[in-house]
Amino acid sequence: QVQLVESGGGLVQPGGSLRLSCAASRSILSIDAMGWYRQAPGKERELVAVINNGGTTNYADSVKGRFTISRDNAKNTVYLHMNSLQPEDTAVYYCNAKIIVYLKTRYYWGQGTQVTISS
């Protein structure tokens, strides 16, 4: 089991930047993959970016070249660096942890952090 706490959301003007943080309650080296998802009003939750414990990353097409996911193993924290933000990036952003134990996959979620892009 793991608890996840997100931080770093806020209100930013179009073209601006934000960095989201997700602090885990256990070593992220023991977590198979961590990712960021987002959910805008009236829309389904969607994958934004994911990084596995080998460091391999994957991004949604809509954020490629603008967002970067990274991890600090010493701090048990995963980051989402967001640049060139646009109004369509407005959403609640959730941190996710995927843990595989005895061939069973479990997913854990943070409480979410609001990101609003507006002038």
Side-chain angles (χ1 to χ4, degrees), residues 36-67:
W36 288 94
Y37 289 71
R38 66 186 181 187
Q39 187 166 19
K43 294 188 177 181
E44 293 186 354
R45 191 171 297 189
E46 63 176 358
L47 174 70
V48 175
V50 63
I51 183 167
N52 66 18
N53 57 9
T56 301
T57 59
N58 192 30
Y59 297 91
D61 288 342
S62 59
V63 306
K64 283 181 181 177
R66 300 189 299 124
F67 291 11

Side-chain angles (χ1 to χ4, degrees), residues 2 24-31 34 71 73 76:
V2 61
S25 61
R26 59 187 269 184
S27 170
I28 61 175
L29 291 173
S30 66
I31 298 174
M34 293 190 70
R71 55 193 291 161
N73 295 333
N76 295 327

Side-chain angles (χ1 to χ4, degrees), residues 3 12 15-16 25 36-37 61 65-66 85-88 91 97 100 109:
Q3 284 75 49
V12 178
S25 61
W36 288 94
Y37 289 71
D61 288 342
R66 300 189 299 124
L85 285 162
Q86 299 301 319
E88 51 266 34
I100 302 173
W109 296 92

Side-chain angles (χ1 to χ4, degrees), residues 6-116:
E6 303 105 330
S7 61
L11 172 63
V12 178
Q13 291 187 342
S17 299
L18 275 176
R19 187 186 75 167
L20 305 183
S21 300
C22 173
S25 61
R26 59 187 269 184
S27 170
I28 61 175
L29 291 173
S30 66
I31 298 174
D32 295 274
M34 293 190 70
W36 288 94
Y37 289 71
R38 66 186 181 187
Q39 187 166 19
K43 294 188 177 181
E44 293 186 354
R45 191 171 297 189
E46 63 176 358
L47 174 70
V48 175
V50 63
I51 183 167
N52 66 18
N53 57 9
T56 301
T57 59
N58 192 30
Y59 297 91
D61 288 342
S62 59
V63 306
K64 283 181 181 177
R66 300 189 299 124
F67 291 11
T68 302
I69 189 170
S70 65
R71 55 193 291 161
D72 186 332
N73 295 333
K75 295 182 178 179
N76 295 327
T77 300
V78 173
Y79 302 99
L80 185 67
H81 306 262
M82 305 185 293
N83 297 318
S84 302
L85 285 162
Q86 299 301 319
E88 51 266 34
D89 295 316
T90 295
V92 178
Y93 284 69
Y94 296 92
C95 181
N96 169 271
K98 174 185 174 182
I99 300 174
I100 302 173
V101 179
Y102 301 121
L103 301 180
K104 291 185 178 180
T105 301
R106 297 178 186 266
Y107 296 94
Y108 300 88
W109 296 92
Q111 80 286 354
T113 185
Q114 177 70 47
V115 172
T116 303

